[in-house]
Amino acid sequence: MPRRLFALVDCANFYASCERIFDPSLEGTPIAVLSNNDGCVIARSEEVKAAGVPMAAPYFTCRRELERIGARVFSSNYSLYADMSRRVMETLHTVTPDVEVYSVDEAFLVIPGPEAGADPGAEHARLGAVARSIRERVWRWTGVPTRVAIAETKTLAKAGVTLAKRLQRHGGEPALCFWNHPAREAHLASMSVRDVWGISRRWGRRLEGLGAATVDRLVALPDPVIRKTLSVVGLRTAYELRGVACLGLEHDPPIRRSLIRSRSFRQPISDLATISEAVATHAARAGEKLRREGLVAGRVAALVTTKGVGEGPHRTGWLELPLSTPTNRTPDLIRAAKSSAAQSFEARDFYGNVYRYRKAGVVCTDLRPARPVQTQAFVPARTFDPAWADGQDRLHAAMDRLNRRFGRRTVAFAAQGAPRNLRALESETVPEAGGTPAPLPAWGMARDHTHHAYTTRWESLPVVRA
């Protein structure tokens, strides 16, 4: 009898489900959600999956098939998805305080195990009811459909969700207790090792070479063979599949060592001034994220690239610059990023051909907690002025509060470009007051299938009529 069990809550077709929550007319309609710049399919409803449209398929290759089945296509609406994810996770915290947010649409929960001496069959039925109650609560409170599996370990809970998906396709219940489940052994015997959480494609090939192509064959291998083939990490995965918990909940994610903010352009760009606006905007967003996580950056680099797409010469420019004092203040980050971009940028190649850049970004490295640090000898004198430093911190805190309350880029620095154009980046479908849509910057993303934000923009709030 395990003393504790793990429950995995997996949101079903999360991005597509978020689009359906506020638009009932989409129920039963095939839905596909596209990646940045409407490049690839990154989320599919069950109807699109049944039509054979693969994940990550370029949109131009499957466009005709999506039109044939009458699918609705949406550009990514990350503000809506992040808000709905927050609501799902807050709902799960009402079930138990022991919650690990694993991704935007997945979370692990700790569930008390069966009582000592209890009947295993009765406990299995009780835990199945717990899984169904979790799914029902998330559905009632947020409208997001989920799949729930309860097992002895996190890896087995992952495997249990794949069984829940299989049962749901045949009309079964998508919430179950994988511990003592009657179909558990058969499911693990048919499950490929490449589908196991923590087994990479390279490790999968190694195991198949040993004759362990399915999960039951993997757990039957001797421990020395597994450790030699997959290292101690793979051995830990094998123990998890045997029902021995080796992975606990991670309440505090490890401190990040780097931060990248980058986006592709909706059209190729060849002038430095436009690229500098994009780099400044990415640096400002990086500063907001660093302050939110209590970190400072010691080095900043700007990235510009043609991505090797299309005709013409190709190159990638990159230059990392050290900061005199590690900081998360936006002006310092913008100054360093623009300097790096200016030194990384080249307008033409050796033969005079124009470079057509398609992506730019900012990379912050040498991250550390935002506490007093040793500075270099030659820095501006104001750096040592407590009043100046306190004023800068209060200024950035006020800016962050305004942008959180009234929308991203409500308050911005001049280096980021025209404020009206920056606001247009949030939504191409909602015009400003006066009825004229703001022009989108040339470096903005292509979002030709943008839908309403619903929960993050006043203009998109659903209207209820009685």
Side-chain angles (χ1 to χ4, degrees):
M1 290 286 192
R3 291 185 297 175
R4 68 172 184 174
L5 297 168
F6 293 90
L8 174 63
V9 180
D10 175 33
C11 299
N13 311 320
F14 182 59
Y15 289 179
S17 298
C18 288
E19 298 291 351
R20 277 178 172 162
I21 291 173
F22 299 96
D23 189 352
S25 67
L26 295 176
E27 193 64 37
T29 300
I31 295 177
V33 180
L34 305 179
S35 63
N36 292 342
N37 278 309
D38 296 343
C40 303
V41 176
I42 58 172
R44 305 161 295 163
S45 64
E46 293 298 330
E47 297 83 1
V48 174
K49 293 178 182 178
V53 177
M55 187 67 167
Y59 178 49
F60 72 90
T61 65
C62 59
R63 182 172 182 173
R64 289 186 178 179
E65 179 62 21
L66 292 173
E67 292 175 349
R68 185 189 67 80
I69 63 176
R72 291 287 301 276
V73 178
F74 297 100
S75 300
S76 297
N77 194 342
Y78 296 120
S79 297
L80 173 65
Y81 307 151
D83 185 56
M84 294 306 300
S85 174
R86 177 187 58 80
R87 299 182 186 206
V88 170
M89 302 310 166
E90 287 181 351
T91 302
L92 296 179
H93 274 90
T94 66
V95 177
T96 173
D98 295 322
V99 178
E100 175 192 339
V101 180
Y102 180 67
S103 67
V104 69
D105 62 345
E106 288 181 292
F108 288 102
L109 287 67
V110 169
I111 304 295
E115 297 181 2
D119 177 54
E123 287 298 300
H124 176 268
R126 180 184 68 83
L127 291 168
V130 170
R132 291 189 292 273
S133 69
I134 294 174
R135 182 178 186 274
E136 179 68 17
R137 177 174 297 191
V138 175
W139 169 256
R140 284 183 176 274
W141 290 16
T142 68
V144 177
T146 59
R147 304 181 185 97
V148 184
I150 298 177
E152 309 95 294
T153 68
K154 294 168 75 172
T155 306
L156 282 174
K158 276 276 194 178
V161 165
T162 62
L163 175 61
K165 292 179 181 179
R166 182 182 298 179
L167 295 177
Q168 186 178 22
R169 294 192 190 101
H170 296 86
E173 177 63 49
L176 53 85
C177 176
F178 199 50
W179 173 72
N180 271 358
H181 196 281
R184 170 166 164 163
E185 299 301 325
H187 177 66
L188 294 180
S190 63
M191 184 177 177
S192 170
V193 290
R194 298 196 182 201
D195 297 330
V196 174
W197 182 51
I199 299 295
S200 64
R201 184 177 303 177
R202 178 168 56 90
W203 282 4
R205 289 195 297 266
R206 290 183 183 179
L207 291 171
E208 290 171 352
L210 294 175
T214 55
V215 174
D216 62 331
R217 299 281 184 88
L218 167 60
V219 299
L221 289 176
D223 289 357
V225 174
I226 298 176
R227 179 162 186 170
K228 182 179 179 180
T229 306
L230 308 181
S231 79
V232 68
V233 177
L235 181 60
R236 188 181 300 127
T237 299
Y239 270 99
E240 286 260 314
L241 291 170
R242 293 169 184 167
V244 180
C246 301
L247 304 173
L249 289 191
E250 296 182 4
H251 295 286
D252 298 319
I255 297 177
R256 65 167 74 235
R257 298 301 177 189
S258 63
L259 173 63
I260 302 176
R261 291 289 309 180
S262 64
R263 288 290 184 272
S264 299
F265 306 144
R266 63 185 293 114
Q267 60 191 46
I269 297 175
S270 301
D271 65 289
L272 178 59
T274 304
I275 290 178
S276 294
E277 287 186 3
V279 168
T281 300
H282 296 321
R285 289 288 295 142
E288 292 177 6
K289 194 170 187 65
L290 289 173
R291 291 191 292 273
R292 187 166 62 247
E293 298 184 9
L295 300 173
V296 293
R299 305 176 72 87
V300 174
L303 165 72
V304 292
T305 179
T306 62
K307 293 183 65 178
V309 178
E311 300 180 356
H314 299 297
R315 72 177 294 270
T316 295
W318 163 278
L319 177 64
E320 191 174 59
L321 299 178
L323 299 172
S324 59
T325 302
T327 184
N328 55 23
R329 293 169 183 155
T330 300
D332 299 331
L333 298 176
I334 289 179
R335 190 178 302 111
K338 291 186 67 175
S339 176
S340 174
Q343 298 178 62
S344 304
F345 177 84
E346 289 185 12
R348 300 175 181 271
D349 65 1
F350 179 78
Y351 302 101
N353 298 312
V354 176
Y355 288 117
R356 297 163 59 83
Y357 293 97
R358 297 175 179 271
K359 185 177 183 179
V362 171
V363 182
C364 298
T365 57
D366 191 16
L367 303 188
R368 63 192 73 175
R371 54 174 177 257
V373 295
Q374 180 67 44
T375 62
Q376 297 183 10
F378 302 101
V379 295
R382 65 182 184 182
T383 304
F384 300 100
D385 183 358
W388 178 84
D390 181 63
Q392 289 292 306
D393 292 340
R394 287 189 287 110
L395 171 65
H396 284 84
M399 289 182 57
D400 293 343
R401 285 196 301 271
L402 289 170
N403 286 329
R404 283 195 300 270
R405 180 175 180 180
F406 298 105
R408 228 183 292 167
R409 304 183 183 94
T410 298
V411 181
F413 287 83
Q416 297 176 241
R420 189 166 182 260
N421 294 2
L422 292 173
R423 291 294 292 164
L425 292 171
E426 296 303 311
S427 175
E428 299 178 49
T429 61
V430 180
E432 292 188 348
T436 304
L440 194 70
W443 50 268
M445 289 193 305
R447 300 174 64 191
D448 298 329
H449 306 278
T450 304
H451 206 195
H452 295 295
Y454 293 117
T455 66
T456 56
R457 290 183 65 89
W458 288 108
E459 301 92 337
S460 299
L461 287 179
V463 176
V464 179
R465 297 180 174 87

